[in-house]
Amino acid sequence: MLEKPVAESPWWRSLSNPRLLGTRLSSNVELLINFIVVVATIVFILSQGSGFGIRIAQLFAIFAILAVSLNLVIGYTGLLSLAHVAFFGVGAYSVAILTTDAAYEQVPGHIPHFGLSFFTALFVGMAITGVVALFVGGVLSRFRDDIFVLVSVGFAVISHRIFLFWQPVTRGPFGIHAIAKPEVGGMVIDSRLEFLFLTLAFLVIVFLISWLIVRSSFGRVLMAIREDEQAIEVFGYKARYFKLTIWVISAMMAALAGGITASEQTFIDPQSFVLLESILLVTIVILGGLGTLWGSLLGALVFVLLNEGMRFVPFLPGELIGQARLAILGIVIVLLMLFRPQGLVGRFKL
Amino acid sequence: MSEAGKQQDNEFAIQTRGLLKQFASVRAINNLSIALPREGITSIVGPNGSGKSTLINLLSGTLPIDEGLVIIEGMSLRAILPYDSPNHGITRTFQEVRLFDQMTVLDNLLVILTKREVFGSLFEPPRASYRNRARQLLDSVGLWDKRQDMAANLSYGQRKLLEVSRALAMDVQIYLFDEPFAGLFPAMLERVKGLLEGLRRERKTIIFIEHNMDLIRQLSDYTFVLDSGELLAEGEVQEVLAKPEVIEAYLGT
Amino acid sequence: MKILNADKRLPALPRSIIGHPLVSIVVAGVIIYLALLLGQSADQFLQFSINGIVIGAIYAIVAMGFNIVYGTVWFFDLSYGAMATMGAYSVFYFTGRQIQTVGRGEINNLYLDIFMGILIAGVVAWVLYVWIYPELRSRINRITLLAVGALVALATGAYTGLILAHPADLNVFLSPTIGLLVATASGCVLYLGALSGIGSGRGLILFLVLGLPGALALGGYSGWLVADTLSTRLYLSWFMGAILAGASGLAIYRGVYFYLRRQARSPLVMLVGSLGFLLSITAFIAIIFSPDGRPLAQPFGTVPWSLAGAFIKPFQVLIIGIAFAIFGGLYLLLNKTSFGTAVRAIGDDEEVARIVGINTPVVIAVIFFLGATIAGLGGILLGEDIGIRPQMGLLLLLKGWIASVVGGIGNIYGALLGGFVLGMVENYGVWYIPAQWKDAVAFVLLIFFLSFWPRGLLPRR
């Protein structure tokens, strides 16, 4: 067990004492950032009504799962992967294809349908993603630094092209419609609120698992690999297997997020799984902070706020919101790298 | 040293046969056949670029062997994989200190103590025994108070000490120290010396690289002199350091 | 921590791969595959080869620009892709009225003009400060010198803003510059010619009497020619696009990378920082010019020549020519000048280069300018060939990177070869499958090369 220095009592203690809270906030930048973001979210959601709040929360939960799982790979193991969207996509497409039974065909030709239930499909999809990730990770484990990034970009692009052009299975650019909703004990989870709770439950599970991994001896080895792979190997660790394991775990978490998204939207097409999404995920993780799980939650929250807040900028035409978001994110990333390379609340500097 | 005579009869800890390592056109280790004695402290000396560090890198698997054979505890090896070196009973420190910079001092040691298997470490709960061992090691180098600091924030000497204690944490038979004394203040130097002598009392094999002749005289039981990747001389310290060719190699270059 | 050369980051090369049986099998397989294709349809084979060479030339251009930057600073500069997009969109900006399909009509953005003006002014000011100022510092009053420099920089910035504010009259506004450039260049040539031909004393007089007026007349005439002919606008816009991209590349280096590199622990910091630039520049371009793809104004030679059953546009021949011209220029620059020596020294070890007395920030800045200029040109040529999109830069950059990995990272020979190989492989690879798979084929090639032949066809050194 790690010991905390005596001075650092848990931050929530100070909530009961306003004066203490004030001094703590002014002395602790990270806490201040947390505080501002959370308050801003609450104000924002309250001002917009519950329907909007649910939508934001849903978006946040998905991005949070993706960011937390990606942080395991980038922040803890030091592998800057841009292939995460590929696993997100494989998970989404697996669930979509495995659950479809209504013959909803826009393209001629035989499209297989399996008619599995959502949860079965989700687990099968995660297993499929795990196998894919094992293969991809095996290729990637030979490379480091920017070569690694390039090859991971390659897998992201290849997976997108497969979603787009392997029409007999993925229905190509038309996408897959009418994806089944999950059923729990005979009750179909249909409303947005119910789905939000399901997603949040998955987020909690993913977060807990990640937290346990990070706290375990395994997590410590991952950090050592991030710091100096050659040195940790000399002490008897087969770094390659450690990297592969965390890679597969992270990919399966991404697949989970993909499956939920597919079912929640009831429609997916290849445009949701382009390289840009991967880049966005990396920026979220770096923004929140590498090597801290809370940071990833915070990063996802900031991202969602930015995303939705853009709609209320007065002089911005609707079709440019996405672009304006990218422009701001890009500038933020450059500034972060210059002035705060550990991200908003992180410890690890890239 | 009274052990010197015994070493000739005893087995050797590590032997090399025709060891060769080439960088581009330079042979860093050229057809080197030496036998490092078991137990006690052995020093490797030689001018800069004579292949001392390369030898340690080869023995610990940090660099792949180009040609030749390494015999460790009677086992002949044509290649040593880095993660296999502890299985052969070898651990090492690095010349340029290579700590896990953005981890705490305590984690730097705990990571050495925990299980090596992927799933073993994944499901391993934090154990008090590891923590006690880490405390013992950190106490021995006086870093327990700094356990929550990032390794990157330590002073140079403290980093060096931490690296030595990281090697001690491995608890193996053969310790390779690559210039453990370089750049240390006298107080810290004494500390490292104490650690090495402690290892000798535990009848371990210690091999270290050093430039300081006083330290070599004080510590080592046996000495090898390398020059241009080849063995120049070996034997007991006083004899070896008195040999004309050794003096020439040091002063001449 | 120092950022290592890419050589040290590449996976270890399996020993003596040339003699490995696998290599012969692969080579034999490729030859059989090509023979099979040729046997099926010679016309189509020729057409695919031409397509491959043309697109390969563009990849080669991008890869060369990328490689001189990568081989010097050893980090992967993603903003390089944004420079390619910038070049292409400058051309669109200046020639917009000729296109019928433009949604927004003429785009003229005051903020953009001011921003680019300031950027150019900054770049010029910095160049003057590091280049001219140290030379004259000891001779002329410093205050005067700085004031004059600032004035020159401001004037250049204002001039750029003016050009940008009147994209439709590019040829008119640019003509004085062109005239000046031609006059200076011909003046230099005549001066050197007169000196070497006749001897220094009389040569100078002869030059002053005949050469100087001649050069001025030539400059004036070419300026007038440019101003008077509408069709020159397109090619002037290429020039402007490349220059603007180059200046932006320099500005990004001096403004951000210079500081980022000092504190970076790993090449990933630089990569992520440049990713930020790529994201935001691409997004700004999409905001200003709309995110949709569009064609560029057609240059000369869009009527294809028929060539033994296949077709090639004269413009595409020009692309290939430009690729080789850039290669030649870079070859001379890197191998025959002291600047090239400095570049290679920095690429080998920046610390040592600095100790030896090379002014590393300036040399690297020039490299960034050159690289971004070449990227801009690559973007322009690709845009002319198949149209422009704000996102074109990223994929073009990745292709350039793949080409340089295939050819051998960090040198221009590898880039040239790798570009053509990549273009050919992409085209032959999609013989049996739909052409959309080209990008996937390119990345499969990359993974293959990195796994089995990480140093590429022509390794550095």
Side-chain angles (χ1 to χ4, degrees), chain A residues 244-260:
Chain A
L244 263 183
T245 310
I246 195 64
W247 177 261
V248 169
I249 292 174
S250 158
M252 286 167 78
M253 288 174 178
L256 177 73
I260 298 169

Side-chain angles (χ1 to χ4, degrees), chain C residues 47 50 54 303-307 310-317 320:
Chain C
Q47 186 63 56
I50 289 173
V54 171
V303 182
W305 292 335
S306 175
L307 188 78
F311 294 96
I312 184 167
K313 293 179 197 163
F315 170 66
Q316 295 176 322
V317 178
I320 300 169

Side-chain angles (χ1 to χ4, degrees), chain B residues 45-64:
Chain B
V45 296
N48 285 330
S50 59
K52 306 183 299 288
S53 286
T54 309
L55 177 63
I56 289 210
N57 284 337
L58 292 180
L59 293 181
S60 65
T62 313
L63 287 175

